């Protein structure tokens, strides 16, 4: 079988589990099994790619969707094996559609490009997102100054793409 299809490269681990600290979830211990670091087509796997990319860019705080919380212990363990400084994690609730499915293009999610085609300006989209999180939309500096990760919702953020059909962002109800 190896002659036809090369094997993936896996990291053999002996820890079984690894604990990380997450700003929103506190201590989280997750499984660390023998995981793929290079796929059989020679492409680095996600876990290796994000650890190396974050380190290369000097990232010290990683914010991702809470659906990726279970992969953070693998990434933290890999980073420790590579001698990289630990990062701070924050896994936030996902934005879901009204049927409580993850937003995806096939389910009516909209892209900034599609909104622009409907007449939305980037500033209006930013304002909509900031207001939906209870943040001031006057400037990014004001939003950053008011941002408190502990005030983020703990439940998924329900987004109805049909509410984005109007170019008047003020008519879109905040999702709180």
């Amino acid at each position: 079988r190896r002659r036809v299809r090369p094997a993936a490269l896996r990291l053999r681990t002996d820890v079984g589990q690894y604990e990380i600290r997450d700003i929103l979830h506190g201590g989280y211990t997750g499984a660390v099994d023998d995981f793929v670091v290079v796929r059989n087509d020679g492409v680095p796997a996600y876990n290796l790619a994000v650890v190396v990319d974050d380190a290369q860019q000097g990232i010290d705080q990683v914010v991702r969707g809470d659906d990726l919380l279970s992969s953070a212990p693998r990434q933290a363990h890999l980073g420790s094996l590579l001698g990289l400084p630990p990062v701070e994690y924050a896994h936030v609730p996902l934005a879901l559609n009204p049927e409580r499915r993850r937003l995806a293009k096939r389910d009516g999610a909209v892209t900034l490009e599609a909104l622009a085609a409907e007449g939305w300006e980037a500033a209006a989209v930013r304002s909509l997102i900031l207001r939906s999180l209870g943040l001031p939309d006057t400037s990014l500096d004001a939003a950053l100054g008011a941002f408190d990760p502990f005030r983020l919702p703990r439940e998924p953020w329900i987004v109805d793409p049909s509410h984005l059909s109007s170019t008047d962002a003020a008519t879109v109800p905040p999702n709180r």
Side-chain angles (χ1 to χ4, degrees):
R1 199 167 159 192
R2 287 184 191 167
R3 286 183 221 140
V4 178
R5 181 177 150 204
L9 178 63
R10 291 181 171 271
L11 174 67
R12 182 175 293 168
T13 62
D14 57 2
V15 296
Q17 56 187 15
Y18 199 83
E19 183 177 6
I20 61 151
R21 293 286 313 153
D22 186 278
I23 292 173
L24 301 174
H25 296 272
Y28 176 81
T29 301
V32 177
D33 50 5
D34 295 348
F35 59 94
V36 173
V37 290
V38 179
R39 301 180 337 191
N40 69 349
D41 60 2
V43 174
Y46 174 78
N47 284 321
L48 176 61
V50 296
V51 168
V52 171
D53 186 54
D54 288 347
Q56 182 73 30
Q57 294 184 62
I59 302 296
D60 60 0
Q61 185 180 63
V62 173
V63 179
R64 293 194 180 106
D66 60 9
D67 61 326
L68 297 174
L69 178 61
S70 64
S71 64
R74 286 184 194 95
Q75 295 161 13
H77 177 61
L78 181 57
S80 72
L81 293 174
L82 294 172
L84 302 173
V87 298
E88 182 177 51
Y89 292 98
H91 288 83
V92 299
L94 292 178
L96 304 177
N97 68 15
E99 291 78 37
R100 301 190 66 79
R101 289 193 316 249
R102 183 179 181 169
L103 284 178
K105 286 185 219 175
R106 70 179 173 273
D107 296 322
V110 289
T111 63
L112 186 55
E113 182 180 15
L115 289 173
E118 289 189 30
W120 283 74
E121 294 184 12
V125 175
R126 182 181 65 226
S127 177
L128 170 68
I129 293 169
L130 292 173
R131 285 188 294 114
S132 74
L133 293 169
L135 296 170
D137 64 351
T138 53
S139 72
L140 285 178
D141 285 337
L144 285 171
F147 179 74
D148 178 357
F150 298 105
R151 292 186 58 218
L152 286 171
R154 297 295 190 248
E155 296 297 318
W157 182 34
I158 307 300
V159 177
D160 188 345
S162 68
H163 290 163
L164 299 177
S165 61
S166 167
T167 57
D168 181 10
T171 65
V172 179
N175 191 346
R176 299 275 304 156

